[in-house]
Amino acid sequence: MKRILPVCIVMMTAFNVFSQTAPAQPKLVVGVVVDQMAYEFLYRYSEEYTENGFKRLLREGYSCENTHYSYIPTYTGPGHASIYTGSVPAVNGIVSNDWYDENTGQFVYVTQDNTVTPVGAVAGNQQSPRNMLTTTVTDMLQLSNQQESKVIGIALKDRGAILPAGHTADAAYWYDGAANAWVTSSYYMPTLPTWVQNFNAQKPAEQMMNRYWNLLLPPTSYKSATADSVSWETVYIGEASPKFPHYMNFTGNSEAIKGTPFGNTLTANFAKAAIENEGLGKDNVTDFLCVSFSSTDYVGHAYGPHSVEIMDTYLRLDRDLADLLMYLDTKVGKGNYVLFLTADHGVSPTPQYMESLNIPAGTTTEVMMTDTMNDILHAAFGPGEWIKAYTNQQIYLNDSLLLAKGKTKKEIFSALYEPLLKINGVAYVILINELGQATLNSNIKELVINGIYPKRCGDIQILYEPYWFEAYRPTGTTHGSHFSYDTHVPLIFFGWKVKPGALYRDVQVTDIAPTI
Ligand code: ZN
Ligand code: ZN
Ligand code: ZN
């Protein structure tokens, strides 16, 4: 937990220059999370960004250029929880997007809550922030003023809306493709507000689909991206090749908007509707709007961070951000709101692309790893379900079988250790209980420890080499590792009382909540 305190002091110094005209507190705080936005996206497409989106944030805001995640796995649920709680999974309990529960023998989805009912959503879409053990900065705002603030979370992804808005939120809305609507949970309210019903009644997603996704700019503007149709890109549903123009087929596939840049536009439009209809930033009690742009993640997974598709998605997000900032200037007033922009994790370059450049990279699969581990354990200890689950690169051992057969976790670990290290791409195999003694670089060790909440985690951790991961499909890419391409994210503060500037020393994502 190094460096947290000094960074906060530096940040306070940076913000302690009070302007004469600004109100004593901002009318609105806007948290913007761009899902899967690696740091380099702030600059890689600079030439094609407008002056009023990312460039405006950098020009008028305060940018912490070396902001990193301090735990693994660098996934969406833990990322949003870390940003808003100022803590790591070891403290907030959000150890992944889903984990195995040894008591029930079931996998738990990060925001799954069977005690609540869906509101506007299809059956089974039951969500709340209850699995998050700590308070968020949004909770602390509500605790400071008897819940007089309005706090709303918005994202296409449920977890991207629910975790940021916290336990005391007025609402979290996410997009349910099956319902073709923005939806919520009985955790917050019994029925959707009229303005949300009206918004949904316009069928805004459908209006953006059933047409071609064309390049925003002339093809010559995409010099920062690789060729369009390469073998590691995922083919969009119903298409012959992963190539522009992409036909966005919505019919019978209403989730599809998520995997296009227009999912971000839909999110921005819904956020503006929330500001308007909920009167966010209208009175003198500070409100908090948490917006997470999920489409960058879907597009990034499918085509990779060097693709034309992801470049086009960022160019369009830049325009959406410029528009949102302008809207906030008009509706809430320039200087009356403070905004931060960051990401929930970065992304790995596509392994096949790296291999094409002779850079070591590759993939395994969860199934291949599980089969290998079962084979090893059956050969060593005989038949039986020695492994209850393998997920998030963690092995959950069968405690009752170990007890019945008189085996220790260390014996199982010893049997697995050498054979697993022989698998291409595997760098480390670690017995989590003995992490302290593991021969492991201290920075990596700290990231692993920060990600462990014992009740929800497994017994053995596997770490991969750079640009290696367990792929869930043969094309595209993912994130989750301790490498800087996954941990290094943008962080910009902008607006109310923020002086333009930049900080180049190390900052951790857990610094965001206390700074806000
Ligand atoms: Zn994410
Ligand atoms: Zn393509
Ligand atoms: Zn992702």
Side-chain angles (χ1 to χ4, degrees), residues 35-36 74-76 97 157 159 294 296-298 300-301 344-347 472 477-480:
D35 206 309
Q36 204 191 95
T74 37
Y75 290 154
T76 298
N97 290 333
K157 289 186 185 179
R159 57 194 184 278
S294 312
T296 34
D297 185 67
Y298 292 104
H301 277 290
D344 56 343
H345 50 75
V347 63
Y472 57 93
T477 189
T478 194
H479 47 84

Side-chain angles (χ1 to χ4, degrees), residues 19 64 69 82 119 125 155 165 190 209 225 300 307 329 332 387 406 418 446 470 488:
S19 98
C64 300
Y69 277 89
S82 191
V119 174
N125 193 342
M209 302 287 284
S307 62
D329 286 350
V332 185
I387 292 169
E418 292 289 346
E446 183 175 305
E470 286 162 5
H488 191 188

Side-chain angles (χ1 to χ4, degrees), residues 326-447:
M326 194 79 91
Y327 186 86
L328 287 164
D329 286 350
T330 312
K331 276 283 162 187
V332 185
K334 216 174 165 179
N336 287 332
Y337 67 95
V338 63
L339 178 146
F340 69 86
L341 180 141
T342 189
D344 56 343
H345 50 75
V347 63
S348 169
T350 314
Q352 291 97 316
Y353 176 48
M354 299 305 261
E355 284 180 301
S356 77
L357 302 172
N358 291 323
I359 298 170
T363 57
T364 66
T365 66
E366 223 169 60
V367 173
M368 184 278 266
M369 293 296 288
T370 309
D371 288 349
T372 306
M373 294 184 288
N374 280 326
D375 289 348
I376 297 164
L377 295 180
H378 290 155
F381 303 112
E385 193 191 17
W386 295 99
I387 292 169
K388 274 287 182 190
Y390 177 64
T391 187
N392 309 316
Q393 294 78 56
Q394 289 180 358
I395 305 167
Y396 293 71
L397 295 174
N398 185 343
D399 294 337
S400 42
L401 184 64
L402 264 64
L403 196 65
K405 302 274 183 181
K407 299 286 174 215
T408 64
K409 286 179 181 176
K410 193 156 190 178
E411 283 173 278
I412 307 284
F413 169 73
S414 298
L416 289 170
Y417 185 78
E418 292 289 346
L420 287 183
L421 282 181
K422 289 199 173 77
I423 296 174
N424 276 343
V426 172
Y428 293 95
V429 182
I430 304 154
L431 184 59
I432 288 173
N433 271 346
E434 298 190 0
L435 196 47
Q437 290 111 280
T439 307
L440 189 63
N441 165 285
S442 61
N443 291 322
I444 304 177
K445 190 180 281 189
E446 183 175 305
L447 265 72

Side-chain angles (χ1 to χ4, degrees), residues 451-484:
I452 302 292
Y453 188 69
K455 272 189 205 174
R456 296 176 179 178
C457 286
D459 302 294
I460 296 167
Q461 174 83 50
I462 290 171
L463 299 178
Y464 284 95
E465 291 164 1
Y467 313 117
W468 277 83
F469 52 77
E470 286 162 5
Y472 57 93
R473 60 182 169 205
T475 51
T477 189
T478 194
H479 47 84
S481 81
H482 56 282
F483 297 112
S484 58

